[in-house]
Amino acid sequence: MKQPHLLRGLWQLNQRLSQWRTMQAITAALRLVYPFVLVMTFIDVIGQGFLMKTGFFYQIYHIGRWLPGITIWQQGFTALGLVINGVVAVMIAFATGYYLARSYHGDALTVGIMSALAFLTLNLNYGALGAAHAGVSGVPPFVTTNLGPQGIFLAIVIGLTVGWLASHLMRGLATWYLRHPRLGQLGWTGRIAIPLMSVLIMNGAIGLGLSWLNHGGLNGLVYQGLSNLVTNPGHRGLVILAVTALNNLFWWLGLIGPVSLAGNSAVTSLQNLAYAVQHGSGWGAPNPITLHTLGDAYANFGGAGMTLALVIAIWIGSKQVSYRRIANQTFYRIW
């Protein structure tokens, strides 16, 4: 009897979340950006699978031997991939701010542009400013790694924050000038310029402060803090589960790989390997619980394998046309 109540509770929670203004803005933004991301993934499949020397199909079909101008093809698809993949977070920031402002019946287009500018302001490469004064050229003006998929979560947060703040600020300014006619009439330019300056100054101050702590912006600060916090979970089971759960949570939020788990099991794995070589079996190894044996096997999400399982589950259990369409479009990317 508990299971139907649990499912009913989850269904009610889902319905409430779907009616939440913030969730509707996020859903609409992701729906808008989805076709662009789909095209990006298709370009990546061709570029990395068929044109790169390490690609599976490149090696199977020996494409480099019979395709003329392989270098030009590689450069072309790499450039096409960077066009969308390199700025997808900026698109998310714009779309999130746009749809949230539209729900408040504000100037959605203006607020969307403010959100994108605010996101770029937080990801300024302040080291490039110092390099420019020193006469060093070639340093990118932005933290480019944060403008791609790695910055999606921060882009959503910035879009929601600026969307709410700018919409209320623009409405508040209009109301203020209506109540104080002696101050004159606030023009269209003033309604945009004042909130824009406020948003840019606030985000510029935050970005400058963060640059003193970390050169990778807010994302870099989160990554560095979490990496320092979780340096080596050792072979304690509860700690391993906590670390992998935290890592998967941030993956789900869009912070790709904030907790670096690479190499954390190197020593224990070598000890287990030496024991297995010496005794001819891994039974009785000194470290039965490690990050690899427990975390990778039971706690980590499985990348393309997990996505494939989700696609199969949608094919089997979902009757909603939009879900099945997305599953069909995602299937080719898994391979």
Side-chain angles (χ1 to χ4, degrees), residues 31 132 145 182:
R31 185 184 298 115
T145 55
R182 295 181 180 180

Side-chain angles (χ1 to χ4, degrees), residues 20-32 92 95-96 99-100 156-157 160:
W20 188 22
R21 187 197 306 265
T22 300
M23 189 60 65
Q24 290 177 350
I26 296 174
T27 304
L30 295 177
R31 185 184 298 115
L32 174 65
I92 291 287
T96 305
Y99 283 109
L100 186 63
I156 293 176
V157 174
L160 294 176

